[in-house]
Structures are given as C-alpha cells and as structure tokens.
Amino acid sequence: EAQVTQNPRYLITVTGKKLTVTCSQNMNHEYMSWYRQDPGLGLRQIYYSMNVEVTDKGDVPEGYKVSRKEKRNFPLILESPSPNQTSLYFCASRDPAGEHYNEQFFGPGTRLTVL
Amino acid sequence: AQSVTQLDSHVSVSEGTPVLLRCNYSSSYSPSLFWYVQHPNKGLQLLLKYTSAATLVKGINGFEAEFKKSETSFHLTKPSAHMSDAAEYFCVVSRTGTYKYIFGTGTRLKVLA
C-alpha cells in the first residue's frame, strides 16, 4: 500500500531533550515536507526537500533540523525542544510528475507535547 | 507572495442542504489550488485540485470547486451535506511547479441532523 508513515504517533517529552520524528514514504517520491498544525493557524511548512541532500526552509524553521540522506526518509529533529513546539506534526510527500502531479500525500500525524 | 484566506472558521448546515466553504487566494503567479479534508484525529485527505486545466473541478464525495480568476476565489461546494462530511477543511495555494504550499486556517464544518 502506498503510504507515508510517521513514528512515533504520540510523544510526550521534556524541555531540552533531543528528539527525532521519523518519516518514510514508499512511493519513490522526490519531494518531502514537514508541517506543524496549531489551532486557528492551519498547517505551516517547517522544512521541505526537493531531493536527496537538497533541503530548504519553510515558513517556521526555527528550532528544527532535517536531513535527507536517502529518498524514502525525511526525519525531523528537535535538538532542544521547547513548550512552544508542542503541536501536531505532519509529514508529506509529492510526486513531481505523472497523474498525481503536485498533490501532497500526508502521513497520519505525530502529536508532540513538550513539558 | 502568496496567501490564502478562508472566510469562515465555522460553518453549520443541516443534513441534506448545500455546503459552501469560501476560499480567496492571492498569488503573483499562476496558482495551483487544493482542498483538503481532515476528519477528527485523522490525517489530511485530498478532496480536489486545480492546476490550470478546467476551472470547474470535481472531487471525491460529491464535492466540487470553481476557480474564478477575476474574483481570486476557489470556493468548495456540495449540493447535499451528509453527516459524514463533518470535518475541518483546508484551502491550499501553491505556485505551480514550486515546492511551497500555503494553507488557510481551516473551516470547521458541522452537519446538523
């Protein structure tokens, strides 16, 4: 089944404790992206990657890092989480060509709470 | 620069009546426009997309949207609401061929029995 998977789905942590949220897609998509969703704000793009080793900042990159060492994986790293990063996070991938051109496929989400 | 405005944060309709969710966009370039739906505690599902082909776009579950360049709008409609349509809906704009997507703040649709 074509899908985007995220782990963990739920995470409660404390301020300053480094964490990684993994994202993997099995559709051979070149483009991947991370978003955070906060009430009343919709989804805001954190980082995106056009291909392996190519990443760029979205609208709210502060406090986050990403890496793209292989096409299928795009982990989101919080080196020193803070309470204002408590949010619902979504990973997405996109095929740059073909029938589903320009459509993003979303993972199930990761709910992160930073105490 | 691009932006998208969803004009209503909450919409309530009775089951069987029409649905209208409003979205206005701003884009200096030829836009791609999308509507996504998010059911409670679920991920996002694509309803429909506009990418410079037909201006009236049909999507899944009976939804459709019309791209109106003169009004910079991309409103989502459905002739008859079902209880299962209760969810949050997001309008999204992207510059065709680029990698950035701008989401609206969402419209929560409530369907009354």
mmCIF file of all heavy atoms in Angstrom, chain B residues 6 8-15 17-22 35-40 47 61 63 76-78 80-90 106-112:
data_model
loop_
_atom_site.group_PDB
_atom_site.id
_atom_site.type_symbol
_atom_site.label_atom_id
_atom_site.label_comp_id
_atom_site.label_asym_id
_atom_site.label_seq_id
_atom_site.Cartn_x
_atom_site.Cartn_y
_atom_site.Cartn_z
ATOM 1 N N GLN B 6 -9.453 31.723 4.276
ATOM 2 C CA GLN B 6 -10.726 31.011 4.379
ATOM 3 C C GLN B 6 -11.649 31.913 5.188
ATOM 4 O O GLN B 6 -11.347 32.271 6.336
ATOM 5 C CB GLN B 6 -10.526 29.643 5.025
ATOM 6 C CG GLN B 6 -9.736 28.720 4.103
ATOM 7 C CD GLN B 6 -9.595 27.318 4.655
ATOM 8 O OE1 GLN B 6 -8.481 26.852 4.883
ATOM 9 N NE2 GLN B 6 -10.711 26.629 4.847
ATOM 10 N N ASP B 8 -14.579 31.743 6.546
ATOM 11 C CA ASP B 8 -15.380 31.309 7.683
ATOM 12 C C ASP B 8 -14.603 30.279 8.484
ATOM 13 O O ASP B 8 -14.139 29.301 7.922
ATOM 14 C CB ASP B 8 -16.703 30.689 7.223
ATOM 15 C CG ASP B 8 -17.470 31.617 6.294
ATOM 16 O OD1 ASP B 8 -17.950 32.649 6.785
ATOM 17 O OD2 ASP B 8 -17.567 31.304 5.093
ATOM 18 N N SER B 9 -14.479 30.486 9.780
ATOM 19 C CA SER B 9 -13.775 29.497 10.589
ATOM 20 C C SER B 9 -14.711 28.338 10.963
ATOM 21 O O SER B 9 -14.240 27.224 11.191
ATOM 22 C CB SER B 9 -13.225 30.133 11.860
ATOM 23 O OG SER B 9 -14.262 30.728 12.611
ATOM 24 N N HIS B 10 -16.008 28.613 11.019
ATOM 25 C CA HIS B 10 -17.002 27.587 11.321
ATOM 26 C C HIS B 10 -18.207 27.770 10.402
ATOM 27 O O HIS B 10 -18.635 28.899 10.165
ATOM 28 C CB HIS B 10 -17.474 27.673 12.781
ATOM 29 C CG HIS B 10 -16.424 27.342 13.776
ATOM 30 N ND1 HIS B 10 -15.479 28.254 14.202
ATOM 31 C CD2 HIS B 10 -16.148 26.177 14.427
ATOM 32 C CE1 HIS B 10 -14.676 27.663 15.079
ATOM 33 N NE2 HIS B 10 -15.054 26.417 15.237
ATOM 34 N N VAL B 11 -18.720 26.637 9.903
ATOM 35 C CA VAL B 11 -19.934 26.631 9.090
ATOM 36 C C VAL B 11 -20.827 25.502 9.597
ATOM 37 O O VAL B 11 -20.343 24.378 9.802
ATOM 38 C CB VAL B 11 -19.615 26.421 7.601
ATOM 39 C CG1 VAL B 11 -20.885 26.170 6.798
ATOM 40 C CG2 VAL B 11 -18.866 27.623 7.039
ATOM 41 N N SER B 12 -22.089 25.816 9.817
ATOM 42 C CA SER B 12 -23.065 24.793 10.216
ATOM 43 C C SER B 12 -24.156 24.697 9.157
ATOM 44 O O SER B 12 -24.682 25.725 8.726
ATOM 45 C CB SER B 12 -23.708 25.142 11.563
ATOM 46 O OG SER B 12 -22.782 25.055 12.606
ATOM 47 N N VAL B 13 -24.461 23.468 8.757
ATOM 48 C CA VAL B 13 -25.543 23.233 7.803
ATOM 49 C C VAL B 13 -26.378 22.060 8.294
ATOM 50 O O VAL B 13 -25.898 21.235 9.079
ATOM 51 C CB VAL B 13 -25.009 22.937 6.379
ATOM 52 C CG1 VAL B 13 -24.167 24.103 5.862
ATOM 53 C CG2 VAL B 13 -24.217 21.643 6.353
ATOM 54 N N SER B 14 -27.587 21.987 7.809
ATOM 55 C CA SER B 14 -28.417 20.830 8.114
ATOM 56 C C SER B 14 -28.155 19.737 7.099
ATOM 57 O O SER B 14 -27.825 20.011 5.936
ATOM 58 C CB SER B 14 -29.900 21.214 8.099
ATOM 59 O OG SER B 14 -30.176 22.166 9.095
ATOM 60 N N GLU B 15 -28.296 18.508 7.531
ATOM 61 C CA GLU B 15 -28.106 17.381 6.625
ATOM 62 C C GLU B 15 -29.056 17.519 5.434
ATOM 63 O O GLU B 15 -30.235 17.839 5.601
ATOM 64 C CB GLU B 15 -28.369 16.066 7.357
ATOM 65 C CG GLU B 15 -27.967 14.826 6.578
ATOM 66 C CD GLU B 15 -28.115 13.551 7.404
ATOM 67 O OE1 GLU B 15 -28.902 13.564 8.376
ATOM 68 O OE2 GLU B 15 -27.437 12.552 7.082
ATOM 69 N N THR B 17 -28.801 19.766 3.038
ATOM 70 C CA THR B 17 -28.751 21.122 2.468
ATOM 71 C C THR B 17 -27.372 21.366 1.850
ATOM 72 O O THR B 17 -26.407 20.665 2.152
ATOM 73 C CB THR B 17 -29.045 22.192 3.514
ATOM 74 O OG1 THR B 17 -28.015 22.176 4.518
ATOM 75 C CG2 THR B 17 -30.389 21.946 4.184
ATOM 76 N N PRO B 18 -27.277 22.398 0.981
ATOM 77 C CA PRO B 18 -25.994 22.642 0.308
ATOM 78 C C PRO B 18 -24.904 23.137 1.264
ATOM 79 O O PRO B 18 -25.175 23.771 2.280
ATOM 80 C CB PRO B 18 -26.346 23.729 -0.718
ATOM 81 C CG PRO B 18 -27.812 23.641 -0.899
ATOM 82 C CD PRO B 18 -28.356 23.211 0.431
ATOM 83 N N VAL B 19 -23.675 22.833 0.846
ATOM 84 C CA VAL B 19 -22.495 23.278 1.575
ATOM 85 C C VAL B 19 -21.730 24.283 0.718
ATOM 86 O O VAL B 19 -21.547 24.064 -0.486
ATOM 87 C CB VAL B 19 -21.555 22.083 1.896
ATOM 88 C CG1 VAL B 19 -20.273 22.566 2.554
ATOM 89 C CG2 VAL B 19 -22.268 21.073 2.788
ATOM 90 N N LEU B 20 -21.283 25.374 1.345
ATOM 91 C CA LEU B 20 -20.422 26.348 0.684
ATOM 92 C C LEU B 20 -19.322 26.733 1.659
ATOM 93 O O LEU B 20 -19.586 27.297 2.724
ATOM 94 C CB LEU B 20 -21.202 27.599 0.268
ATOM 95 C CG LEU B 20 -20.342 28.787 -0.220
ATOM 96 C CD1 LEU B 20 -19.599 28.422 -1.496
ATOM 97 C CD2 LEU B 20 -21.210 30.035 -0.436
ATOM 98 N N LEU B 21 -18.088 26.415 1.302
ATOM 99 C CA LEU B 21 -16.929 26.823 2.086
ATOM 100 C C LEU B 21 -16.109 27.760 1.212
ATOM 101 O O LEU B 21 -15.683 27.379 0.131
ATOM 102 C CB LEU B 21 -16.104 25.599 2.508
ATOM 103 C CG LEU B 21 -16.854 24.501 3.265
ATOM 104 C CD1 LEU B 21 -15.880 23.392 3.668
ATOM 105 C CD2 LEU B 21 -17.584 25.043 4.468
ATOM 106 N N ARG B 22 -15.839 28.956 1.750
ATOM 107 C CA ARG B 22 -15.268 30.002 0.910
ATOM 108 C C ARG B 22 -13.760 30.134 1.094
ATOM 109 O O ARG B 22 -13.248 30.076 2.224
ATOM 110 C CB ARG B 22 -15.943 31.331 1.223
ATOM 111 C CG ARG B 22 -17.454 31.310 0.935
ATOM 112 C CD ARG B 22 -18.071 32.665 1.192
ATOM 113 N NE ARG B 22 -18.020 33.022 2.613
ATOM 114 C CZ ARG B 22 -18.225 34.251 3.071
ATOM 115 N NH1 ARG B 22 -18.466 35.249 2.225
ATOM 116 N NH2 ARG B 22 -18.191 34.493 4.370
ATOM 117 N N TRP B 35 -8.111 21.630 -2.119
ATOM 118 C CA TRP B 35 -8.905 21.497 -0.897
ATOM 119 C C TRP B 35 -8.580 20.147 -0.275
ATOM 120 O O TRP B 35 -8.614 19.120 -0.945
ATOM 121 C CB TRP B 35 -10.404 21.571 -1.193
ATOM 122 C CG TRP B 35 -10.952 22.956 -1.287
ATOM 123 C CD1 TRP B 35 -11.227 23.671 -2.422
ATOM 124 C CD2 TRP B 35 -11.336 23.803 -0.193
ATOM 125 N NE1 TRP B 35 -11.735 24.901 -2.093
ATOM 126 C CE2 TRP B 35 -11.815 25.009 -0.739
ATOM 127 C CE3 TRP B 35 -11.327 23.649 1.194
ATOM 128 C CZ2 TRP B 35 -12.288 26.058 0.061
ATOM 129 C CZ3 TRP B 35 -11.791 24.685 1.980
ATOM 130 C CH2 TRP B 35 -12.257 25.876 1.410
ATOM 131 N N TYR B 36 -8.269 20.214 1.033
ATOM 132 C CA TYR B 36 -8.036 19.005 1.813
ATOM 133 C C TYR B 36 -9.084 18.922 2.918
ATOM 134 O O TYR B 36 -9.557 19.936 3.428
ATOM 135 C CB TYR B 36 -6.652 19.017 2.454
ATOM 136 C CG TYR B 36 -5.515 18.666 1.524
ATOM 137 C CD1 TYR B 36 -4.918 19.633 0.722
ATOM 138 C CD2 TYR B 36 -5.023 17.358 1.446
ATOM 139 C CE1 TYR B 36 -3.869 19.315 -0.127
ATOM 140 C CE2 TYR B 36 -3.977 17.035 0.601
ATOM 141 C CZ TYR B 36 -3.407 18.016 -0.176
ATOM 142 O OH TYR B 36 -2.372 17.692 -1.020
ATOM 143 N N VAL B 37 -9.384 17.694 3.327
ATOM 144 C CA VAL B 37 -10.299 17.476 4.448
ATOM 145 C C VAL B 37 -9.571 16.705 5.545
ATOM 146 O O VAL B 37 -8.744 15.840 5.257
ATOM 147 C CB VAL B 37 -11.568 16.706 3.994
ATOM 148 C CG1 VAL B 37 -11.228 15.330 3.436
ATOM 149 C CG2 VAL B 37 -12.560 16.578 5.142
ATOM 150 N N GLN B 38 -9.880 17.080 6.774
ATOM 151 C CA GLN B 38 -9.295 16.395 7.927
ATOM 152 C C GLN B 38 -10.420 16.003 8.881
ATOM 153 O O GLN B 38 -11.026 16.870 9.518
ATOM 154 C CB GLN B 38 -8.286 17.290 8.640
ATOM 155 C CG GLN B 38 -7.575 16.602 9.793
ATOM 156 C CD GLN B 38 -6.581 17.526 10.478
ATOM 157 O OE1 GLN B 38 -6.790 18.743 10.542
ATOM 158 N NE2 GLN B 38 -5.499 16.963 10.994
ATOM 159 N N HIS B 39 -10.693 14.721 8.966
ATOM 160 C CA HIS B 39 -11.675 14.248 9.940
ATOM 161 C C HIS B 39 -11.024 14.181 11.313
ATOM 162 O O HIS B 39 -9.792 14.087 11.420
ATOM 163 C CB HIS B 39 -12.232 12.894 9.505
ATOM 164 C CG HIS B 39 -13.155 13.006 8.340
ATOM 165 N ND1 HIS B 39 -12.754 12.857 7.033
ATOM 166 C CD2 HIS B 39 -14.486 13.284 8.273
ATOM 167 C CE1 HIS B 39 -13.764 13.030 6.219
ATOM 168 N NE2 HIS B 39 -14.841 13.287 6.945
ATOM 169 N N PRO B 40 -11.823 14.237 12.360
ATOM 170 C CA PRO B 40 -11.274 14.273 13.721
ATOM 171 C C PRO B 40 -10.236 13.182 13.960
ATOM 172 O O PRO B 40 -10.469 12.006 13.666
ATOM 173 C CB PRO B 40 -12.523 14.075 14.590
ATOM 174 C CG PRO B 40 -13.627 14.645 13.777
ATOM 175 C CD PRO B 40 -13.287 14.300 12.347
ATOM 176 N N LEU B 47 -9.250 16.427 -1.427
ATOM 177 C CA LEU B 47 -10.601 16.402 -1.996
ATOM 178 C C LEU B 47 -10.559 16.675 -3.493
ATOM 179 O O LEU B 47 -11.212 15.988 -4.271
ATOM 180 C CB LEU B 47 -11.472 17.479 -1.343
ATOM 181 C CG LEU B 47 -12.125 17.187 -0.007
ATOM 182 C CD1 LEU B 47 -12.885 18.417 0.459
ATOM 183 C CD2 LEU B 47 -13.053 15.993 -0.105
ATOM 184 N N ASN B 61 -16.398 12.356 -3.115
ATOM 185 C CA ASN B 61 -17.540 12.501 -2.201
ATOM 186 C C ASN B 61 -18.509 13.600 -2.605
ATOM 187 O O ASN B 61 -19.180 14.177 -1.743
ATOM 188 C CB ASN B 61 -17.053 12.739 -0.766
ATOM 189 C CG ASN B 61 -16.193 11.583 -0.261
ATOM 190 O OD1 ASN B 61 -16.314 10.467 -0.735
ATOM 191 N ND2 ASN B 61 -15.325 11.872 0.674
ATOM 192 N N PHE B 63 -17.984 16.599 -3.822
ATOM 193 C CA PHE B 63 -17.521 17.979 -3.710
ATOM 194 C C PHE B 63 -17.023 18.495 -5.057
ATOM 195 O O PHE B 63 -16.522 17.740 -5.879
ATOM 196 C CB PHE B 63 -16.397 18.084 -2.680
ATOM 197 C CG PHE B 63 -16.856 18.009 -1.263
ATOM 198 C CD1 PHE B 63 -16.859 16.806 -0.579
ATOM 199 C CD2 PHE B 63 -17.287 19.154 -0.602
ATOM 200 C CE1 PHE B 63 -17.289 16.732 0.738
ATOM 201 C CE2 PHE B 63 -17.715 19.097 0.719
ATOM 202 C CZ PHE B 63 -17.713 17.880 1.389
ATOM 203 N N LEU B 76 -15.499 25.926 -2.239
ATOM 204 C CA LEU B 76 -15.844 24.498 -2.242
ATOM 205 C C LEU B 76 -17.343 24.339 -2.019
ATOM 206 O O LEU B 76 -17.896 24.963 -1.103
ATOM 207 C CB LEU B 76 -15.072 23.781 -1.126
ATOM 208 C CG LEU B 76 -15.262 22.270 -1.004
ATOM 209 C CD1 LEU B 76 -14.610 21.547 -2.182
ATOM 210 C CD2 LEU B 76 -14.680 21.778 0.316
ATOM 211 N N THR B 77 -17.980 23.509 -2.819
ATOM 212 C CA THR B 77 -19.421 23.310 -2.696
ATOM 213 C C THR B 77 -19.774 21.834 -2.745
ATOM 214 O O THR B 77 -19.017 21.004 -3.257
ATOM 215 C CB THR B 77 -20.193 24.041 -3.813
ATOM 216 O OG1 THR B 77 -19.777 23.525 -5.082
ATOM 217 C CG2 THR B 77 -19.944 25.535 -3.773
ATOM 218 N N LYS B 78 -20.953 21.556 -2.202
ATOM 219 C CA LYS B 78 -21.539 20.223 -2.297
ATOM 220 C C LYS B 78 -23.046 20.400 -2.252
ATOM 221 O O LYS B 78 -23.545 21.154 -1.416
ATOM 222 C CB LYS B 78 -21.066 19.325 -1.154
ATOM 223 C CG LYS B 78 -21.596 17.895 -1.252
ATOM 224 C CD LYS B 78 -20.990 16.997 -0.186
ATOM 225 C CE LYS B 78 -21.537 15.579 -0.332
ATOM 226 N NZ LYS B 78 -20.933 14.630 0.643
ATOM 227 N N SER B 80 -25.547 18.511 -1.311
ATOM 228 C CA SER B 80 -26.326 17.952 -0.205
ATOM 229 C C SER B 80 -25.377 17.401 0.852
ATOM 230 O O SER B 80 -24.641 16.452 0.590
ATOM 231 C CB SER B 80 -27.252 16.851 -0.730
ATOM 232 O OG SER B 80 -27.955 16.232 0.321
ATOM 233 N N ALA B 81 -25.413 17.989 2.025
ATOM 234 C CA ALA B 81 -24.483 17.579 3.071
ATOM 235 C C ALA B 81 -24.896 16.265 3.715
ATOM 236 O O ALA B 81 -26.088 16.003 3.931
ATOM 237 C CB ALA B 81 -24.405 18.660 4.142
ATOM 238 N N HIS B 82 -23.886 15.467 4.047
ATOM 239 C CA HIS B 82 -24.098 14.244 4.816
ATOM 240 C C HIS B 82 -23.437 14.391 6.165
ATOM 241 O O HIS B 82 -22.491 15.172 6.336
ATOM 242 C CB HIS B 82 -23.497 13.034 4.087
ATOM 243 C CG HIS B 82 -24.148 12.741 2.783
ATOM 244 N ND1 HIS B 82 -23.499 12.113 1.749
ATOM 245 C CD2 HIS B 82 -25.408 12.985 2.353
ATOM 246 C CE1 HIS B 82 -24.316 11.985 0.715
ATOM 247 N NE2 HIS B 82 -25.475 12.502 1.057
ATOM 248 N N MET B 83 -23.905 13.608 7.117
ATOM 249 C CA MET B 83 -23.311 13.672 8.455
ATOM 250 C C MET B 83 -21.809 13.389 8.392
ATOM 251 O O MET B 83 -21.021 13.969 9.146
ATOM 252 C CB MET B 83 -23.993 12.675 9.384
ATOM 253 C CG MET B 83 -25.471 12.956 9.639
ATOM 254 S SD MET B 83 -25.748 14.538 10.441
ATOM 255 C CE MET B 83 -25.080 14.207 12.068
ATOM 256 N N SER B 84 -21.424 12.504 7.491
ATOM 257 C CA SER B 84 -20.015 12.123 7.388
ATOM 258 C C SER B 84 -19.129 13.244 6.848
ATOM 259 O O SER B 84 -17.901 13.115 6.845
ATOM 260 C CB SER B 84 -19.865 10.897 6.495
ATOM 261 O OG SER B 84 -20.358 11.179 5.200
ATOM 262 N N ASP B 85 -19.737 14.344 6.375
ATOM 263 C CA ASP B 85 -18.944 15.476 5.885
ATOM 264 C C ASP B 85 -18.418 16.358 7.011
ATOM 265 O O ASP B 85 -17.607 17.260 6.763
ATOM 266 C CB ASP B 85 -19.780 16.333 4.935
ATOM 267 C CG ASP B 85 -20.158 15.593 3.659
ATOM 268 O OD1 ASP B 85 -19.358 14.750 3.205
ATOM 269 O OD2 ASP B 85 -21.252 15.871 3.125
ATOM 270 N N ALA B 86 -18.899 16.141 8.220
ATOM 271 C CA ALA B 86 -18.433 16.942 9.353
ATOM 272 C C ALA B 86 -16.934 16.738 9.542
ATOM 273 O O ALA B 86 -16.476 15.612 9.783
ATOM 274 C CB ALA B 86 -19.180 16.541 10.615
ATOM 275 N N ALA B 87 -16.178 17.806 9.410
ATOM 276 C CA ALA B 87 -14.720 17.721 9.430
ATOM 277 C C ALA B 87 -14.163 19.142 9.324
ATOM 278 O O ALA B 87 -14.912 20.114 9.250
ATOM 279 C CB ALA B 87 -14.213 16.875 8.264
ATOM 280 N N GLU B 88 -12.833 19.230 9.278
ATOM 281 C CA GLU B 88 -12.195 20.513 9.015
ATOM 282 C C GLU B 88 -11.648 20.494 7.595
ATOM 283 O O GLU B 88 -11.081 19.494 7.161
ATOM 284 C CB GLU B 88 -11.081 20.802 10.016
ATOM 285 C CG GLU B 88 -10.530 22.220 9.914
ATOM 286 C CD GLU B 88 -9.857 22.688 11.187
ATOM 287 O OE1 GLU B 88 -9.415 21.850 11.979
ATOM 288 O OE2 GLU B 88 -9.771 23.927 11.386
ATOM 289 N N TYR B 89 -11.822 21.615 6.911
ATOM 290 C CA TYR B 89 -11.448 21.709 5.510
ATOM 291 C C TYR B 89 -10.405 22.809 5.337
ATOM 292 O O TYR B 89 -10.539 23.904 5.894
ATOM 293 C CB TYR B 89 -12.682 22.008 4.650
ATOM 294 C CG TYR B 89 -13.661 20.865 4.626
ATOM 295 C CD1 TYR B 89 -14.518 20.633 5.690
ATOM 296 C CD2 TYR B 89 -13.703 19.987 3.546
ATOM 297 C CE1 TYR B 89 -15.407 19.568 5.682
ATOM 298 C CE2 TYR B 89 -14.591 18.924 3.523
ATOM 299 C CZ TYR B 89 -15.438 18.720 4.602
ATOM 300 O OH TYR B 89 -16.303 17.654 4.585
ATOM 301 N N PHE B 90 -9.386 22.489 4.549
ATOM 302 C CA PHE B 90 -8.299 23.434 4.321
ATOM 303 C C PHE B 90 -8.161 23.741 2.838
ATOM 304 O O PHE B 90 -8.096 22.828 2.003
ATOM 305 C CB PHE B 90 -6.969 22.861 4.830
ATOM 306 C CG PHE B 90 -6.902 22.708 6.312
ATOM 307 C CD1 PHE B 90 -7.167 21.483 6.909
ATOM 308 C CD2 PHE B 90 -6.573 23.782 7.123
ATOM 309 C CE1 PHE B 90 -7.110 21.331 8.282
ATOM 310 C CE2 PHE B 90 -6.516 23.648 8.500
ATOM 311 C CZ PHE B 90 -6.782 22.418 9.078
ATOM 312 N N GLY B 106 -8.333 27.068 7.933
ATOM 313 C CA GLY B 106 -9.281 25.984 8.101
ATOM 314 C C GLY B 106 -10.705 26.452 8.348
ATOM 315 O O GLY B 106 -10.945 27.518 8.935
ATOM 316 N N THR B 107 -11.652 25.652 7.882
ATOM 317 C CA THR B 107 -13.076 25.858 8.166
ATOM 318 C C THR B 107 -13.628 24.570 8.744
ATOM 319 O O THR B 107 -13.518 23.508 8.126
ATOM 320 C CB THR B 107 -13.861 26.208 6.891
ATOM 321 O OG1 THR B 107 -13.381 27.429 6.354
ATOM 322 C CG2 THR B 107 -15.357 26.336 7.210
ATOM 323 N N ARG B 108 -14.192 24.689 9.923
ATOM 324 C CA ARG B 108 -14.777 23.506 10.561
ATOM 325 C C ARG B 108 -16.241 23.420 10.162
ATOM 326 O O ARG B 108 -17.019 24.341 10.428
ATOM 327 C CB ARG B 108 -14.631 23.581 12.072
ATOM 328 C CG ARG B 108 -15.019 22.279 12.769
ATOM 329 C CD ARG B 108 -14.604 22.282 14.231
ATOM 330 N NE ARG B 108 -13.159 22.344 14.400
ATOM 331 C CZ ARG B 108 -12.352 21.294 14.335
ATOM 332 N NH1 ARG B 108 -12.845 20.095 14.075
ATOM 333 N NH2 ARG B 108 -11.054 21.431 14.534
ATOM 334 N N LEU B 109 -16.595 22.331 9.497
ATOM 335 C CA LEU B 109 -17.970 22.124 9.041
ATOM 336 C C LEU B 109 -18.713 21.231 10.023
ATOM 337 O O LEU B 109 -18.258 20.130 10.355
ATOM 338 C CB LEU B 109 -17.979 21.471 7.652
ATOM 339 C CG LEU B 109 -19.346 21.091 7.087
ATOM 340 C CD1 LEU B 109 -20.182 22.343 6.842
ATOM 341 C CD2 LEU B 109 -19.199 20.287 5.805
ATOM 342 N N LYS B 110 -19.839 21.740 10.466
ATOM 343 C CA LYS B 110 -20.717 20.975 11.345
ATOM 344 C C LYS B 110 -21.987 20.650 10.572
ATOM 345 O O LYS B 110 -22.560 21.532 9.918
ATOM 346 C CB LYS B 110 -21.050 21.791 12.593
ATOM 347 C CG LYS B 110 -21.827 21.051 13.657
ATOM 348 C CD LYS B 110 -21.973 21.916 14.908
ATOM 349 C CE LYS B 110 -22.696 21.186 16.034
ATOM 350 N NZ LYS B 110 -22.802 22.030 17.246
ATOM 351 N N VAL B 111 -22.426 19.399 10.620
ATOM 352 C CA VAL B 111 -23.637 18.984 9.919
ATOM 353 C C VAL B 111 -24.670 18.581 10.963
ATOM 354 O O VAL B 111 -24.429 17.663 11.762
ATOM 355 C CB VAL B 111 -23.353 17.823 8.952
ATOM 356 C CG1 VAL B 111 -24.635 17.437 8.206
ATOM 357 C CG2 VAL B 111 -22.256 18.201 7.972
ATOM 358 N N LEU B 112 -25.790 19.255 10.939
ATOM 359 C CA LEU B 112 -26.843 19.033 11.932
ATOM 360 C C LEU B 112 -27.878 18.046 11.410
ATOM 361 O O LEU B 112 -28.273 18.108 10.242
ATOM 362 C CB LEU B 112 -27.525 20.366 12.253
ATOM 363 C CG LEU B 112 -26.573 21.498 12.678
ATOM 364 C CD1 LEU B 112 -27.311 22.825 12.744
ATOM 365 C CD2 LEU B 112 -25.927 21.170 14.003
#
